[in-house]
Amino acid sequence: MLNHNLYMLSFTKTTEQSSNYNSLESMPIGELLKNMNLEDKTVPYAVEKALPQIERLVTELVSRMQQGGRLFYIGAGTSGRLGIVDASECPPTFGVPFDLVNGIIAGGDAAIRRAVENAEDDATQAWKDLSAMGIKEHDTVIGIAASGTTPYVIGGLQKCNEHGILTGSICCNAGSPLSQTAKYPIEVIVGPEFVTGSSRMKAGTAQKLVLNMISTATMIRLGRVKGNKMVDMQLSNKKLVDRGAKMIVDETGVTYDEALELLIQYGSVRSAVDNYTSKK
């Protein structure tokens, strides 16, 4: 198991370096917002530099999922919550089973809303959490940690490596212990935060962008998007039913009312369009 204290001393964490701004409490609100926005604008460029790393991970991930594998995100604090958000959005957006993409946070579901003391410092718990969900060979585990030093995440990826499970990571410091552990690391170097050390800001934004890319690109490659439409989305509210009906109108040329009837009859845009076109 990694000696966390030694790792903490082995590299420089730019996410912990002093902000480029000072005397924040003296800034007018407009200036605060302007400067935060200036910092936020740098994040997509940092993500752009990591695109080759993201591509390598997604390529391997898609291959595993085509063989029946699942995707797991593990993280603590903000990183863990972001993984849960991305995972929870996949079923309604792409119509996949709820256990295909999973988010696990240190401290369990209680930590989604409130920090659980010392949860991220347990290097053995992530593997226990993954084991409880039936982790297996074709699954993929992506560890998320802005610092790249979270024991919960590193320990989990170490055990996955031992069991031949594909591992990836997302962090915001170069050469981190997490990147050294993951088989397919992604490093998005966003630099010092506006509020020193507050990695829920630029680092959190970077992680969200990368997670969007990973899950969306993967679902597209798995055939869950047709053209540019979410044809398998769950029809869980009136807005989505309306969107689905309009998709059917665009694809088939039927009236809006006819599209609604098809959507209700077949339950999804894909099924409605396929059944309509097959009968013509």
Side-chain angles (χ1 to χ4, degrees), residues 126-145:
W127 180 248
K128 295 176 185 176
D129 294 339
L130 289 164
S131 297
M133 298 184 71
I135 190 78
K136 56 187 178 182
E137 182 182 0
H138 286 120
D139 293 337
T140 299
V141 178
I142 298 177
I144 313 168

Side-chain angles (χ1 to χ4, degrees), residues 81 84 103-116 129 133 152:
R81 295 182 189 102
I84 289 171
I104 301 176
I105 187 171
D109 287 351
I112 295 173
R113 292 179 174 83
R114 294 185 180 182
V116 176
D129 294 339
M133 298 184 71
Y152 176 87

